[in-house]
Amino acid sequence: MPSIGRDDVARLADLARIQLTEEEIDRFAGEFDSIMDAVASVSEVATEDVPATSHPIAMTNVFREDVVANTLTQEQALAGAPEAQDGRFAVPQILGEE
């Protein structure tokens, strides 16, 4: 399995907009390698005759009846917004930044 190096950790932190110190980058690079090793060891044990599961106990979704109810008007929904523009929630731009 490929290892996660310092450059990878720094890039991921940058994408997540998390500031890390050099010591944290070193520590996380080691921790990610340990995690990758653990995943690799589990992958070695898995066999084709064992079905994949997402949960050890069989579960069933419980759905409520879909009932039409009163909803908020646009003005009511935007009343508590910190900022609104053209009848929509205004949020800071995050895409397209370098």
Side-chain angles (χ1 to χ4, degrees):
M1 209 169 247
S3 100
I4 305 288
R6 293 185 86 262
D7 292 339
D8 298 318
V9 172
R11 177 71 177 136
L12 288 172
D14 184 53
L15 290 171
R17 291 178 168 50
I18 299 173
Q19 292 180 343
L20 297 178
T21 64
E22 293 298 317
E23 295 80 25
E24 290 172 323
I25 291 173
D26 290 334
R27 188 178 84 227
F28 289 139
E31 289 177 3
F32 282 132
D33 276 340
S34 297
I35 292 168
M36 298 291 280
D37 291 342
V39 170
S41 67
V42 169
S43 297
E44 291 172 5
V45 174
T47 61
E48 291 183 20
D49 58 331
V50 178
T53 60
S54 63
H55 198 277
I57 299 169
M59 300 183 78
T60 304
N61 278 337
V62 178
F63 297 99
R64 66 172 172 79
E65 191 173 330
D66 192 10
V67 179
V68 176
N70 294 333
T71 59
L72 296 175
T73 65
Q74 183 179 27
E75 292 79 23
Q76 290 171 325
L78 294 173
E83 192 175 341
Q85 181 179 10
D86 298 328
R88 300 183 194 127
F89 294 101
V91 296
Q93 178 180 349
I94 61 167
L95 299 176
E97 296 178 356
E98 291 297 319

